[in-house]
Amino acid sequence: MNLQGQLLIATPDMNDDYFDRSVIYICEHNDQGAMGLMINSPTDLSVMELLAKMDFLMANERSYSKDQLVLNGGPVSQDRGFILHTSTNAPLLHSYETANNITLTTSGDILDTFGRNNSPEHFIVCLGCCTWKADQLEQEIARNYWLVSPSSEHILFHAGYLDRWSEAYEMLGIEGFLAKAGRA
């Protein structure tokens, strides 16, 4: 089973408060384990504020969305940035395609494209990530902690941060289940 490019959707059986109602995009999945980004846990820091703190607002001609927030990508490596984005023509140092038209970049050079013509059309900025040891994720899925779903650009980049969990369930056709579980 290769889950790279898929979504993990926390089930009501998830007994870990940290991951309650979480949606995680799986960036890498292989024999050594898995790595993903939680895509529905916004911080109170906007992408614009992050870039200003990192001194990337040197050019006035850039345009930034003031309401796009940095996300808490997970409990591991919270001092590192992970940018999930649509494909771009800009050459980037540490990027790899995770799925069709979706790329993960971990190098800061992508930040310099934001607000410019060579910026990715859509992107998510996360601090931290989620990781699993070999077979750990498969065991959690078998315990009914996660549902697996194909990812969609709508869920990744357009749905409201706090709506992504319920919209992911709706995409699977399980919205009636949420109402019965009192979780909608």
Side-chain angles (χ1 to χ4, degrees), residues 28-35 131-136 138:
E28 184 175 13
H29 186 226
N30 56 39
D31 293 342
Q32 283 79 46
M35 179 271 200
T131 59
W132 293 264
K133 301 181 292 190
D135 297 321
Q136 180 184 1
E138 292 82 352

Side-chain angles (χ1 to χ4, degrees), residues 12-13 21 45 56 62 65 90 96 115 120 130-131 147 160 162:
D13 289 342
R21 297 178 65 107
L45 179 67
F56 278 90
R62 296 188 196 197
S65 171
Y96 72 93
C130 304
T131 59
L147 293 177
L162 302 179

Side-chain angles (χ1 to χ4, degrees), residues 7-11 141 144-149 169 172 174 177:
L7 293 177
L8 291 181
I9 308 161
T11 69
I141 292 169
N144 198 38
Y145 293 163
W146 303 104
L147 293 177
V148 178
S149 168
Y169 266 92
L172 290 173
I174 308 179
F177 169 77

